[in-house]
Structure formats: C-alpha cells, structure tokens
Amino acid sequence: MNTFDKIVTRIENAAMAIAAIILALMVLAETYNVVMRYFFSAPPGWVYPVVTNYVLEGLFFLAISWTLRTDGHIQLDLLSIHFSHGLKKLVGIVCNLVALAFFATILYLGALRTLEAIIHWDISPDVLRWPLWTSYIFVPIGCGIICLRLLYRIAAATPIVSHEAPPN
C-alpha cells in the first residue's frame, strides 16, 4: 500500500508544481494587464480569457488532491471531537466514499465533455479562438488524481482481512 501512496504523492506533487507555475504565469499576465491598461491605455484582450478559462481551472483542479493530502481544506470539528476513535474512522470512510462518488462522477462527465470538445473541435468564442478541450482537460485530470487519493485513504482506513492461519 505504501507504493501506491508514493506514486499518488508523486503525481500530486507534480500537479502542484504545475499549478505553482500556472499561478506564477497568472501573476505575470495580470501585472502585464495592469501596466498596459493604466500606463498605456491599451489593455490586452487575451488576459481575461486566459485567466478565466485556463488558469483558474488549472489552479483548482491540479491543486485539489495535494490540498486534501496535506489537510489544507477547511474542517469543522464541532461534533467529531466527541466521537470515539472507531466512529471517527467510520465517518472518515463514509465521507471519503461520498467524496469518491462525487469526484468520480465529475471525472466521468468531465472526460466526456473533453472528448466531445476534441471530436467536434470546439473553439473558444473569445479573442483567442483556442480549442476548448485544452481548458476542459484540467477537470478529468484533477478529479482523476483526487480519486486515486480517496481510494488510498479508504483502503488505508479499512483493515485488510487475511485468510492465512494465525501464527502458533
């Protein structure tokens, strides 16, 4: 099981590194936008579509699994602090199963939408006229990674039943 965790962790780290690069590029693009808009009265028409269609999706979906692994999401402990260890484990498994079903559904629908955009060669309606699949692809990639992380969390929380005879 540790090998699977190491593989998923490497994938998450790579996705997070890409997200960090995307964030840096967004800062540069927005800085360029501000300089051009306020100093030269010539805002570039490509910054807004790039940020809204590519950068935000890439940041969110590439970072979501890493954030889960590092416990970076908001957690409410109002009730769980009163749970026994066994109940916390059970609630954790149920929550991970619900999250897995949710993200697997988004993965499936996102992959279908991406494939449809590739087949029909859908083009963005903005000034860029880029293929839309290049924006949609972040959804199935990010959801695929978080599904792997959730599968690991469920498997790690569930005791493995051995059919071997106990030692004497």
Side-chain angles (χ1 to χ4, degrees):
M1 193 50 90
N2 284 337
T3 303
F4 184 75
D5 180 42
K6 287 179 184 177
I7 291 169
V8 175
T9 298
R10 285 190 181 133
I11 294 169
E12 288 168 335
N13 289 342
M16 192 60 176
I18 294 168
I21 292 168
I22 290 172
L23 180 61
L25 292 174
M26 181 185 79
V27 169
L28 291 174
E30 288 295 345
T31 302
Y32 175 71
N33 185 32
V34 167
V35 168
M36 293 303 291
R37 177 180 305 274
Y38 294 109
F39 292 107
F40 299 104
S41 296
W46 59 268
V47 174
Y48 181 75
V50 167
V51 169
T52 57
N53 294 327
Y54 297 91
V55 172
L56 295 178
E57 286 186 27
L59 283 175
F60 179 80
F61 284 103
L62 293 177
I64 194 169
S65 186
W66 182 90
T67 306
L68 177 67
R69 177 175 50 92
T70 59
D71 286 329
H73 291 286
I74 295 172
Q75 298 179 23
L76 297 176
D77 297 334
L78 296 174
L79 296 175
S80 64
I81 58 174
H82 302 291
F83 292 172
S84 68
H85 175 71
L87 184 57
K88 282 183 185 179
K89 191 173 181 178
L90 177 64
V91 168
I93 292 171
V94 170
C95 288
N96 285 322
L97 283 168
V98 169
L100 178 61
F102 176 76
F103 283 109
T105 302
I106 296 173
L107 166 63
Y108 175 73
L109 295 173
L112 285 179
R113 182 64 189 110
T114 303
L115 186 59
E116 181 180 305
I118 291 170
I119 291 169
H120 296 151
W121 200 248
D122 293 343
I123 303 295
S124 66
D126 54 44
V127 69
L128 298 175
R129 308 285 299 153
W130 283 355
L132 285 175
W133 72 264
T134 57
S135 173
Y136 297 159
I137 195 73
F138 291 118
V139 175
I141 290 173
C143 288
I145 297 169
I146 198 166
C147 283
L148 293 174
R149 174 55 57 196
L150 290 165
L151 284 170
Y152 172 75
R153 287 171 64 132
I154 292 164
T158 307
I160 298 172
V161 179
S162 174
H163 297 289
E164 298 175 9
N168 292 333

